[in-house]
Coordinates of all heavy atoms in Angstrom, one line a residue:
S1 N -37.3 77.2 -6.6 CA -37.0 75.8 -6.1 C -38.2 74.9 -5.9 O -38.3 73.7 -6.4 CB -36.3 76.0 -4.7 OG -35.1 76.7 -4.8
F2 N -39.3 75.5 -5.4 CA -40.6 74.8 -5.2 C -41.2 74.2 -6.6 O -41.5 73.1 -6.7 CB -41.7 75.5 -4.5 CG -42.9 74.7 -4.4 CD1 -42.9 73.7 -3.4 CD2 -44.0 75.0 -5.2 CE1 -44.1 72.9 -3.3 CE2 -45.1 74.2 -5.1 CZ -45.2 73.2 -4.2
R3 N -41.1 75.1 -7.7 CA -41.6 74.6 -8.9 C -40.9 73.5 -9.4 O -41.5 72.5 -9.9 CB -41.6 75.8 -9.9 CG -42.5 76.9 -9.7 CD -42.5 78.0 -10.7 NE -43.3 79.1 -10.2 CZ -43.8 79.9 -11.1 NH1 -43.4 80.0 -12.4 NH2 -44.6 80.9 -10.6
A4 N -39.5 73.5 -9.3 CA -38.7 72.3 -9.8 C -39.1 71.1 -9.0 O -39.2 70.0 -9.6 CB -37.3 72.7 -9.7
V5 N -39.0 71.3 -7.7 CA -39.4 70.1 -6.8 C -40.8 69.5 -7.0 O -41.0 68.3 -7.2 CB -39.2 70.4 -5.3 CG1 -39.7 69.3 -4.4 CG2 -37.8 70.7 -5.0
A6 N -41.8 70.4 -7.2 CA -43.1 69.9 -7.4 C -43.3 69.2 -8.7 O -43.9 68.2 -8.9 CB -44.1 71.1 -7.4
A7 N -42.6 69.7 -9.8 CA -42.6 69.1 -11.1 C -42.0 67.7 -11.0 O -42.5 66.7 -11.6 CB -41.9 69.9 -12.1
A8 N -40.8 67.6 -10.3 CA -40.2 66.2 -10.3 C -40.9 65.3 -9.4 O -40.9 64.1 -9.7 CB -38.8 66.5 -9.6
S9 N -41.7 65.9 -8.5 CA -42.6 65.0 -7.6 C -43.8 64.7 -8.2 O -44.8 64.0 -7.6 CB -42.8 65.7 -6.3 OG -41.5 65.9 -5.7
K10 N -44.2 65.3 -9.3 CA -45.5 65.2 -10.0 C -46.6 65.6 -9.0 O -47.7 65.0 -8.9 CB -45.7 63.7 -10.5 CG -44.9 63.4 -11.6 CD -45.0 62.0 -12.1 CE -44.2 61.6 -13.3 NZ -42.9 61.9 -13.3
L11 N -46.3 66.8 -8.4 CA -47.3 67.3 -7.3 C -48.1 68.5 -8.1 O -47.5 69.5 -8.5 CB -46.6 67.9 -6.2 CG -47.5 68.7 -5.2 CD1 -48.5 67.7 -4.5 CD2 -46.5 69.3 -4.1
D12 N -49.5 68.3 -8.2 CA -50.2 69.3 -8.7 C -50.5 70.4 -7.6 O -50.8 69.9 -6.4 CB -51.5 68.8 -9.2 CG -51.4 67.9 -10.5 OD1 -50.4 68.3 -11.4 OD2 -52.1 66.9 -10.6
W13 N -50.5 71.6 -7.9 CA -50.8 72.6 -6.9 C -51.3 73.8 -7.7 O -51.3 74.0 -8.9 CB -49.4 73.1 -6.2 CG -48.3 73.6 -7.0 CD1 -47.6 72.8 -7.8 CD2 -48.0 74.9 -7.3 NE1 -46.7 73.6 -8.5 CE2 -46.8 74.9 -8.3 CE3 -48.4 76.2 -6.8 CZ2 -46.2 76.1 -8.5 CZ3 -47.8 77.3 -7.2 CH2 -46.7 77.2 -8.1
I14 N -52.1 74.7 -6.9 CA -52.8 75.7 -7.4 C -52.2 77.1 -7.1 O -52.1 77.9 -8.0 CB -54.4 75.7 -6.8 CG1 -55.0 74.3 -7.4 CG2 -55.1 76.9 -7.4 CD1 -56.3 74.1 -6.6
D15 N -51.8 77.3 -5.9 CA -51.2 78.5 -5.5 C -50.2 78.2 -4.4 O -50.4 77.4 -3.5 CB -52.4 79.5 -5.0 CG -51.8 80.9 -4.7 OD1 -51.3 81.5 -5.6 OD2 -52.2 81.4 -3.5
L16 N -49.2 79.1 -4.4 CA -48.3 79.1 -3.2 C -47.8 80.5 -2.8 O -47.6 81.4 -3.7 CB -47.0 78.4 -3.6 CG -45.8 78.4 -2.6 CD1 -46.3 77.6 -1.4 CD2 -44.6 77.8 -3.2
N17 N -48.0 80.8 -1.5 CA -47.8 82.1 -1.0 C -46.8 81.9 0.2 O -47.1 81.3 1.1 CB -49.1 82.8 -0.5 CG -48.9 84.3 -0.1 OD1 -47.7 84.7 0.1 ND2 -50.0 85.0 0.1
C18 N -45.6 82.6 0.1 CA -44.6 82.4 1.2 C -44.4 83.9 1.8 O -44.3 84.8 1.2 CB -43.3 82.0 0.6 SG -43.5 80.3 0.1
K19 N -44.3 83.8 3.1 CA -43.9 85.0 3.9 C -42.8 84.6 4.7 O -42.8 83.5 5.4 CB -45.1 85.5 4.7 CG -44.8 86.7 5.5 CD -46.1 87.2 6.1 CE -46.4 86.7 7.5 NZ -47.5 87.4 8.2
T20 N -41.8 85.4 4.9 CA -40.6 85.1 5.7 C -40.5 86.2 6.8 O -40.6 87.3 6.5 CB -39.3 85.1 4.9 OG1 -39.4 84.1 3.9 CG2 -38.1 84.8 5.8
I21 N -40.4 85.8 8.0 CA -40.1 86.6 9.2 C -38.8 86.4 9.8 O -38.3 85.2 10.0 CB -41.1 86.3 10.3 CG1 -42.6 86.6 9.7 CG2 -40.9 87.2 11.5 CD1 -43.7 86.0 10.6
G22 N -38.0 87.5 9.9 CA -36.6 87.4 10.3 C -36.5 87.9 11.8 O -37.2 88.8 12.1
K23 N -35.7 87.3 12.6 CA -35.4 87.7 13.9 C -34.0 88.4 14.0 O -33.0 87.8 13.7 CB -35.5 86.6 14.9 CG -35.2 86.8 16.3 CD -35.3 85.7 17.2 CE -35.0 86.0 18.7 NZ -35.0 84.8 19.5
L24 N -34.0 89.7 14.5 CA -32.8 90.4 14.6 C -32.3 90.3 16.0 O -33.1 90.5 17.0 CB -33.0 91.9 14.3 CG -32.9 92.3 12.7 CD1 -33.3 93.8 12.6 CD2 -31.5 92.1 12.3
D25 N -31.0 90.1 16.3 CA -30.4 90.1 17.6 C -29.0 90.7 17.5 O -28.5 90.8 16.4 CB -30.3 88.6 18.1 CG -31.5 88.0 18.7 OD1 -32.3 88.8 19.3 OD2 -31.7 86.8 18.6
K26 N -28.7 91.2 18.6 CA -27.2 91.6 18.6 C -26.3 90.6 19.1 O -26.5 89.9 20.0 CB -27.2 92.8 19.8 CG -26.1 93.7 19.6 CD -26.1 94.9 20.6 CE -25.5 96.1 19.9 NZ -25.6 97.3 20.8
V27 N -25.4 90.3 18.2 CA -24.4 89.3 18.3 C -23.0 89.9 18.2 O -22.7 90.5 17.2 CB -24.5 88.2 17.2 CG1 -23.5 87.1 17.4 CG2 -26.0 87.6 17.2
D28 N -22.3 89.8 19.4 CA -20.9 90.5 19.3 C -21.0 91.8 19.0 O -20.2 92.4 18.1 CB -19.9 89.7 18.5 CG -19.7 88.2 18.9 OD1 -19.8 87.9 20.1 OD2 -19.6 87.3 18.0
R29 N -21.8 92.5 19.5 CA -22.1 94.1 19.3 C -22.5 94.4 17.9 O -22.4 95.6 17.4 CB -20.8 94.8 19.8 CG -20.5 94.6 21.2 CD -19.3 95.4 21.7 NE -18.3 95.4 20.7 CZ -17.0 95.7 21.1 NH1 -16.7 96.0 22.3 NH2 -16.1 95.7 20.2
V30 N -23.0 93.5 17.2 CA -23.3 93.7 15.7 C -24.8 93.1 15.6 O -25.1 92.1 16.0 CB -22.5 93.0 14.7 CG1 -22.9 93.2 13.3 CG2 -21.1 93.5 14.9
M31 N -25.7 93.9 15.0 CA -27.0 93.4 14.7 C -27.0 92.5 13.6 O -26.4 92.8 12.4 CB -28.0 94.6 14.4 CG -28.3 95.6 15.6 SD -29.0 94.7 16.9 CE -30.6 94.4 16.3
K32 N -27.6 91.3 13.8 CA -27.6 90.3 12.7 C -29.0 89.5 12.8 O -29.6 89.5 13.7 CB -26.5 89.3 13.0 CG -25.1 89.6 12.9 CD -24.2 88.5 13.0 CE -22.8 89.0 12.9 NZ -21.8 87.8 12.9
F33 N -29.4 89.0 11.6 CA -30.5 88.0 11.6 C -30.1 86.8 12.2 O -29.1 86.2 11.7 CB -31.0 87.9 10.1 CG -31.8 89.0 9.6 CD1 -31.3 89.9 8.7 CD2 -33.1 89.2 10.1 CE1 -32.0 90.9 8.2 CE2 -33.9 90.3 9.6 CZ -33.3 91.1 8.6
T34 N -30.8 86.2 13.2 CA -30.3 85.1 13.9 C -31.3 83.9 13.5 O -31.0 82.8 13.8 CB -30.2 85.3 15.3 OG1 -31.6 85.7 15.8 CG2 -29.2 86.2 15.7
E35 N -32.4 84.2 13.0 CA -33.5 83.2 12.7 C -34.5 83.6 11.6 O -34.8 84.8 11.5 CB -34.2 82.9 14.0 CG -35.3 81.8 13.8 CD -36.0 81.6 15.2 OE1 -35.3 81.1 16.1 OE2 -37.2 81.8 15.2
F36 N -34.8 82.8 10.7 CA -35.8 83.0 9.8 C -37.0 82.0 9.9 O -36.7 80.8 10.0 CB -35.2 83.0 8.4 CG -34.3 84.1 8.0 CD1 -33.0 84.0 8.2 CD2 -34.8 85.4 7.7 CE1 -32.1 85.0 8.0 CE2 -33.9 86.4 7.4 CZ -32.6 86.2 7.6
T37 N -38.2 82.5 9.8 CA -39.3 81.5 9.7 C -40.1 81.7 8.3 O -40.4 82.9 8.1 CB -40.3 81.7 10.9 OG1 -39.6 81.5 12.2 CG2 -41.5 80.8 10.8
V38 N -40.1 80.7 7.6 CA -40.8 80.8 6.3 C -42.2 80.2 6.5 O -42.4 79.0 6.9 CB -40.0 79.9 5.2 CG1 -40.8 80.0 3.9 CG2 -38.6 80.5 5.1
Q39 N -43.2 81.0 6.3 CA -44.6 80.7 6.4 C -45.1 80.4 5.0 O -45.3 81.4 4.2 CB -45.4 81.7 7.2 CG -44.9 81.9 8.6 CD -45.7 83.0 9.3 OE1 -46.3 84.0 8.6 NE2 -45.7 83.0 10.6
A40 N -45.5 79.2 4.7 CA -45.8 78.9 3.4 C -47.3 78.4 3.4 O -47.6 77.5 4.1 CB -44.9 77.7 2.8
T41 N -48.1 79.0 2.6 CA -49.5 78.6 2.4 C -49.7 78.1 1.0 O -49.4 78.9 0.1 CB -50.5 79.7 2.7 OG1 -50.2 80.2 4.0 CG2 -51.9 79.4 2.6
I42 N -50.0 76.8 0.9 CA -50.1 76.2 -0.4 C -51.5 75.7 -0.6 O -52.1 75.1 0.3 CB -49.1 75.1 -0.7 CG1 -49.2 74.5 -2.1 CG2 -49.2 74.0 0.4 CD1 -48.0 73.7 -2.4
T43 N -52.0 75.9 -1.9 CA -53.4 75.4 -2.2 C -53.3 74.3 -3.2 O -52.5 74.5 -4.1 CB -54.3 76.5 -2.7 OG1 -54.3 77.6 -1.8 CG2 -55.7 76.0 -3.0
V44 N -53.8 73.2 -3.0 CA -53.7 71.9 -3.7 C -55.0 71.4 -4.0 O -56.0 71.7 -3.3 CB -52.8 70.8 -3.1 CG1 -51.3 71.3 -2.9 CG2 -53.4 70.4 -1.8
P45 N -55.2 70.7 -5.1 CA -56.5 70.1 -5.4 C -56.9 69.2 -4.3 O -56.1 68.4 -3.7 CB -56.2 69.3 -6.7 CG -55.0 69.9 -7.3 CD -54.2 70.3 -6.2
T46 N -58.2 69.1 -4.0 CA -58.8 68.1 -3.1 C -58.4 66.7 -3.3 O -58.4 66.3 -4.5 CB -60.3 68.3 -3.0 OG1 -60.7 69.6 -2.7 CG2 -60.9 67.3 -2.0
G47 N -58.0 65.9 -2.3 CA -57.5 64.6 -2.6 C -56.0 64.4 -2.6 O -55.6 63.4 -2.6
T48 N -55.3 65.5 -2.7 CA -53.9 65.6 -2.7 C -53.3 64.9 -1.5 O -53.8 65.2 -0.4 CB -53.3 66.9 -3.0 OG1 -53.8 67.4 -4.3 CG2 -51.8 66.9 -3.1
D49 N -52.3 64.0 -1.5 CA -51.6 63.5 -0.4 C -50.9 64.7 0.5 O -49.9 65.2 0.0 CB -50.7 62.4 -0.8 CG -50.0 61.8 0.3 OD1 -50.2 62.1 1.5 OD2 -49.1 60.8 0.1
E50 N -51.3 64.9 1.6 CA -50.8 65.9 2.4 C -49.4 65.6 2.7 O -48.5 66.6 2.8 CB -51.7 66.0 3.8 CG -51.3 67.3 4.5 CD -52.3 67.6 5.6 OE1 -53.4 67.0 5.6 OE2 -52.0 68.3 6.6
T51 N -49.0 64.4 2.9 CA -47.6 64.1 3.2 C -46.7 64.4 2.1 O -45.5 64.9 2.3 CB -47.4 62.6 3.6 OG1 -48.3 62.2 4.7 CG2 -46.0 62.2 3.9
K52 N -47.1 64.2 0.8 CA -46.4 64.5 -0.3 C -46.2 66.0 -0.5 O -45.1 66.5 -0.8 CB -47.2 64.0 -1.5 CG -46.4 64.1 -2.9 CD -47.2 63.4 -4.0 CE -46.5 63.5 -5.3 NZ -47.2 62.8 -6.4
V53 N -47.2 66.8 -0.1 CA -47.1 68.3 -0.1 C -46.0 68.7 0.9 O -45.2 69.5 0.5 CB -48.4 68.9 0.2 CG1 -48.3 70.4 0.2 CG2 -49.4 68.5 -0.8
H54 N -46.0 68.2 2.2 CA -45.1 68.5 3.2 C -43.6 68.1 2.7 O -42.7 68.9 2.9 CB -45.3 67.9 4.5 CG -46.4 68.5 5.4 ND1 -46.1 69.7 6.0 CD2 -47.7 68.2 5.6 CE1 -47.2 70.1 6.7 NE2 -48.2 69.2 6.5
R55 N -43.5 67.0 2.1 CA -42.1 66.5 1.5 C -41.6 67.4 0.6 O -40.5 67.8 0.5 CB -42.2 65.1 1.1 CG -42.1 64.0 2.2 CD -41.7 62.7 1.5 NE -42.6 62.3 0.5 CZ -43.6 61.5 0.4 NH1 -44.0 60.9 1.6 NH2 -44.4 61.2 -0.6
A56 N -42.5 67.9 -0.4 CA -42.1 68.9 -1.5 C -41.7 70.2 -0.9 O -40.7 70.7 -1.3 CB -43.3 69.0 -2.4
L57 N -42.4 70.6 0.1 CA -42.1 71.9 0.7 C -40.7 71.8 1.4 O -39.9 72.7 1.4 CB -43.2 72.4 1.6 CG -44.5 73.0 1.0 CD1 -45.6 73.1 2.0 CD2 -44.2 74.2 0.3
E58 N -40.6 70.8 2.2 CA -39.3 70.6 2.9 C -38.2 70.5 2.0 O -37.0 71.0 2.3 CB -39.4 69.4 3.9 CG -40.4 69.6 5.0 CD -40.8 68.4 5.8 OE1 -40.3 67.3 5.3 OE2 -41.6 68.6 6.8
K59 N -38.3 69.7 0.9 CA -37.2 69.4 -0.1 C -36.9 70.8 -0.7 O -35.7 71.1 -0.9 CB -37.6 68.5 -1.1 CG -36.7 68.2 -2.2 CD -35.4 67.5 -1.7 CE -34.5 67.2 -2.8 NZ -33.3 66.6 -2.3
S60 N -37.9 71.7 -1.0 CA -37.7 73.0 -1.6 C -36.8 73.8 -0.7 O -36.0 74.5 -1.1 CB -39.0 73.7 -1.9 OG -39.8 72.9 -2.8
E61 N -37.1 73.8 0.6 CA -36.4 74.6 1.5 C -34.9 74.0 1.6 O -34.0 74.8 1.7 CB -37.0 74.4 2.9 CG -36.3 75.2 4.0 CD -36.8 75.1 5.5 OE1 -37.3 74.0 5.7 OE2 -36.7 76.1 6.2
Q62 N -34.7 72.8 1.5 CA -33.3 72.2 1.5 C -32.4 72.5 0.3 O -31.2 72.8 0.5 CB -33.4 70.6 1.6 CG -34.0 70.2 2.9 CD -34.2 68.6 2.8 OE1 -34.0 67.9 1.8 NE2 -34.7 68.1 3.8
V63 N -33.1 72.8 -0.8 CA -32.4 72.9 -2.0 C -32.3 74.5 -2.4 O -31.7 74.9 -3.4 CB -32.8 72.1 -3.3 CG1 -32.6 70.7 -2.9 CG2 -34.2 72.5 -3.6
C64 N -33.1 75.3 -1.6 CA -33.3 76.7 -1.9 C -31.9 77.5 -1.8 O -31.2 77.5 -0.8 CB -34.2 77.3 -0.9 SG -34.4 79.1 -1.2
L65 N -31.5 78.2 -2.9 CA -30.3 78.9 -3.0 C -30.2 80.0 -1.9 O -29.2 80.2 -1.2 CB -30.1 79.5 -4.4 CG -28.9 80.5 -4.6 CD1 -27.6 79.7 -4.4 CD2 -28.9 81.1 -5.8
I66 N -31.3 80.7 -1.7 CA -31.4 81.8 -0.7 C -31.2 81.2 0.7 O -30.4 81.7 1.5 CB -32.6 82.7 -0.9 CG1 -32.6 83.3 -2.2 CG2 -32.7 83.6 0.2 CD1 -33.8 84.0 -2.6
T67 N -32.0 80.2 1.0 CA -32.0 79.6 2.3 C -30.5 79.1 2.6 O -30.0 79.3 3.7 CB -32.9 78.4 2.5 OG1 -34.3 79.0 2.2 CG2 -33.0 77.8 3.9
N68 N -29.9 78.5 1.7 CA -28.6 77.9 1.8 C -27.5 78.9 2.0 O -26.4 78.6 2.4 CB -28.3 76.9 0.7 CG -29.1 75.6 0.8 OD1 -29.5 75.2 1.9 ND2 -29.3 75.0 -0.3
S69 N -27.8 80.2 1.5 CA -26.9 81.3 1.6 C -26.9 82.0 3.0 O -26.0 82.8 3.2 CB -27.1 82.2 0.5 OG -27.0 81.6 -0.8
L70 N -27.9 81.7 3.7 CA -28.1 82.4 5.0 C -27.2 81.8 6.1 O -27.2 80.6 6.1 CB -29.5 82.4 5.5 CG -30.5 83.1 4.5 CD1 -31.9 82.8 4.9 CD2 -30.3 84.6 4.4
N71 N -26.7 82.7 7.0 CA -25.9 82.1 8.1 C -26.8 82.1 9.4 O -26.3 82.3 10.5 CB -24.7 83.0 8.4 CG -23.6 82.9 7.3 OD1 -23.5 81.8 6.8 ND2 -22.9 83.8 7.0
S72 N -28.0 81.7 9.2 CA -29.0 81.8 10.4 C -29.9 80.5 10.3 O -29.9 80.0 9.1 CB -29.9 83.0 10.4 OG -29.2 84.2 10.4
S73 N -30.4 80.1 11.5 CA -31.3 79.0 11.3 C -32.7 79.3 10.6 O -33.0 80.5 10.6 CB -31.7 78.5 12.7 OG -32.4 79.4 13.5
T74 N -33.3 78.4 10.0 CA -34.6 78.6 9.3 C -35.5 77.6 9.7 O -35.1 76.4 10.1 CB -34.4 78.5 7.8 OG1 -33.9 77.3 7.4 CG2 -33.5 79.6 7.1
K75 N -36.8 77.9 9.7 CA -37.9 77.0 10.1 C -39.0 77.2 9.1 O -39.3 78.3 8.7 CB -38.3 77.4 11.5 CG -39.5 76.6 12.1 CD -39.8 76.9 13.6 CE -40.2 78.4 13.7 NZ -40.6 78.7 15.1
L76 N -39.5 76.1 8.8 CA -40.7 76.1 7.8 C -42.0 75.9 8.6 O -42.1 74.8 9.2 CB -40.4 75.0 6.7 CG -41.6 74.8 5.7 CD1 -41.9 76.1 4.9 CD2 -41.4 73.6 4.9
V77 N -42.9 76.7 8.4 CA -44.3 76.5 8.8 C -45.2 76.4 7.6 O -45.4 77.4 6.9 CB -44.8 77.7 9.7 CG1 -46.1 77.5 10.2 CG2 -43.8 77.8 10.9
A78 N -45.8 75.3 7.4 CA -46.7 75.0 6.3 C -48.1 74.9 6.7 O -48.4 74.3 7.6 CB -46.3 73.6 5.6
N79 N -48.9 75.6 5.8 CA -50.4 75.6 6.0 C -50.8 75.1 4.5 O -50.7 75.8 3.5 CB -50.8 77.0 6.2 CG -52.4 77.1 6.3 OD1 -53.0 76.1 6.5 ND2 -52.9 78.3 6.0
I80 N -51.5 73.9 4.5 CA -52.0 73.4 3.3 C -53.5 73.6 3.1 O -54.4 73.2 4.1 CB -51.7 71.8 3.2 CG1 -50.2 71.6 3.3 CG2 -52.3 71.2 2.0 CD1 -49.8 70.2 3.5
K81 N -53.9 74.1 2.0 CA -55.5 74.3 1.8 C -55.8 73.4 0.6 O -55.1 73.3 -0.3 CB -55.7 75.7 1.4 CG -55.4 76.7 2.5 CD -55.7 78.2 2.0 CE -55.5 79.2 3.2 NZ -55.9 80.5 2.7
F82 N -57.0 72.8 0.7 CA -57.5 72.0 -0.4 C -58.5 72.7 -1.1 O -59.4 73.3 -0.5 CB -57.9 70.7 0.1 CG -56.8 69.8 0.8 CD1 -56.5 69.9 2.1 CD2 -56.0 69.0 0.0 CE1 -55.6 69.1 2.7 CE2 -55.0 68.3 0.5 CZ -54.8 68.3 1.9
Q83 N -58.6 72.6 -2.5 CA -59.6 73.3 -3.2 C -60.1 72.3 -4.3 O -59.4 71.7 -5.0 CB -59.0 74.5 -3.8 CG -60.0 75.3 -4.6 CD -59.4 76.7 -5.0 OE1 -58.2 76.8 -5.1 NE2 -60.2 77.6 -5.3

């Protein structure tokens, strides 16, 4: 999803590393994932508009097939590195 959004946004990027942390809770006597936090670390060229990077990451989360298939809340935590 991110590659398509970045290409459409004409966003140059060097590296993207994502880690997802899930929270398990007992709901109605059944263990379920109730929350996911996606920690995205992206490296972009120096001088890249940080707002544009955040918008691309947020849009990617909105159109992500996996995220949209989950029955839990998701949260995006973005860390932008310039190189």
